[in-house]
Amino acid sequence: MDFDGLFQTQLDTLKQEGNYRIFAELERKAGAFPRARCHDDDSPDDVTVWCSNDYLGMGQHPAVIRAMKDAIDNCGAGAGGTRNISGTNHNHKLLEAELADLHGKDAALLFTSGYVSNWAALSTLGSRIPDAVILSDELNHASMIEGIRHSRAAKVLWRHNDPEDLDRKLSALPANAPKIVAFESVYSMDGDICPMREIVEVAEKHGAMTYLDEVHAVGLYGPRGGGISEREGLSDRITLIEGTLGKAYGVVGGYITGSEALCDFIRSFASGFIFTTALPPAVAAAAQASIAHLKVSSSERKSQRDRVAHLRRRLDQEGIPHLHNDSHIIPVMIKDPVKCRMIADYLMQRYGIYVQPINYPTVPKGTERLRFTPSPLHSVDDIEHLVLALKELWKQCAISHAVA
């Protein structure tokens, strides 16, 4: 069989539909975020990154860089094994204590990524709790969906951010069935924030466990960066809070927090934890420094909110359609995959502005968009340059100014 021919046929279809993904080859400049050097032949050498998940620029923060360098000097580059076999370093334990404190929990457990922490935790809970039913918000992240699927537990979808539908779905289940309500705080594509208090109250009414993904909120919301659950004063009422170290904290890795028994249960049974090499100690040290800094410093969060509000105002003034939400994520709607790719290319090649087009299957067909994430380190001039470039391209590409 011609396997390469089969592969190429499906790739060609992706390209024809406008959904083929092209990665920009960037080189981040230490101390110069959001600037980066671009190695693509048809783009300027220096570009401004507008779609980074390093939301606060903490990957460039001096304290974070210094902690990583010091840990490399002390421990070397790698962990040397799985957590079970020689790979548990003192820095891992310090970071887990920092994370447990962040969310007001008894314990925390590190994973190699946020994707893995969701996949491993949900698959373990669903498979190891007898007769468990997982009730999943219909727009939950792919990592949560994969974890639920792998668990082979019964799954019930409830309408996005709809506590009343969740209540109906829970009411239809046997009263004695173990129930897990899985949802996110900030949904990354539309930037909407869940009605957390109402969801928690519905779950409590039915005796359900709550599983909260805070990956797009940790570091950014709450007085210490504990996320929407901390901001709303709900952390103590949520069974498991999952997060990432690879977004607002600027490093890499994922984690869960909860009771001692819960974290020990996942540690003992989750294959995604047991059979993978531990995070390098230097990464753990850098993450701990980032979390500790953002627990006591609110200046980064305040500056980011100011930049987000400023960009929204300018987009409104120029009639550029974007989804309105209460988060830091600004989706500018294109609604056509070919035009979305074309505008992203023009922004990069003509204006030195890098934003990745978001097409199917990440978002439904017909909702293609550019997803902008202003940081505290984007200047007012950066925002003006972006908005004027979008204004010019809107005219050239004949895109509607109406928001649907």
Side-chain angles (χ1 to χ4, degrees), residues 96-115:
E96 286 172 340
E98 194 81 64
L99 289 164
D101 174 77
L102 174 68
H103 293 294
K105 299 296 185 184
D106 295 331
L109 188 68
L110 285 173
F111 292 85
T112 51
S113 73
Y115 191 104

Side-chain angles (χ1 to χ4, degrees), residues 123-307:
S123 64
T124 302
L125 291 169
S127 63
R128 299 290 306 190
I129 298 175
D131 303 317
V133 180
I134 302 178
L135 296 100
S136 176
D137 183 291
E138 64 183 356
L139 292 188
N140 276 342
H141 189 264
S143 58
M144 301 175 78
I145 294 168
E146 285 300 314
I148 295 167
R149 179 183 295 131
H150 187 75
S151 77
R152 299 186 180 180
K155 179 183 74 172
V156 175
L157 292 180
W158 48 285
R159 283 202 298 266
H160 177 54
N161 280 349
D162 188 341
E164 292 182 0
D165 188 53
L166 173 62
D167 189 29
R168 285 191 292 271
K169 299 290 172 59
L170 282 165
S171 297
L173 295 172
N176 62 345
K179 307 168 187 73
I180 303 169
V181 174
F183 62 106
E184 301 180 40
S185 57
V186 177
Y187 287 82
S188 62
M189 289 300 109
D190 288 349
D192 52 332
I193 297 176
C194 77
M196 190 176 295
R197 186 172 299 278
E198 291 87 343
I199 292 170
V200 170
E201 288 173 353
V202 168
E204 289 175 341
K205 171 185 170 183
H206 294 275
M209 172 182 173
T210 41
Y211 184 109
L212 172 63
D213 176 318
E214 285 263 39
V215 297
H216 289 278
V218 288
L220 299 169
Y221 301 92
R224 301 195 309 156
I228 301 297
S229 55
E230 183 193 32
R231 188 186 75 177
E232 301 301 314
L234 294 168
S235 301
D236 62 323
R237 295 170 65 181
I238 294 168
T239 314
L240 184 154
I241 298 175
E242 183 266 352
T244 184
L245 307 171
K247 293 183 171 61
Y249 292 125
V251 194
V252 67
Y255 65 88
I256 62 165
T257 62
S259 68
E260 289 278 2
L262 186 153
C263 290
D264 197 20
F265 178 77
I266 301 298
R267 182 190 72 89
S268 299
F269 293 110
S271 61
F273 175 84
I274 295 169
F275 297 107
T276 191
T277 300
L279 287 172
V283 169
Q288 186 194 356
S290 183
I291 295 163
H293 174 83
L294 289 174
K295 280 181 178 177
V296 297
S297 175
S298 60
S299 62
E300 292 84 2
R301 289 187 282 273
K302 181 180 184 303
S303 294
Q304 189 211 34
R305 288 194 296 270
D306 291 344
R307 293 294 185 264

Side-chain angles (χ1 to χ4, degrees), residues 50 307 310-311 314 379-387:
W50 272 101
R307 293 294 185 264
H310 185 75
L311 177 53
R314 289 294 293 120
S379 68
V380 172
D381 287 342
D382 290 334
I383 292 174
E384 195 64 17
H385 180 58
L386 169 63
V387 171

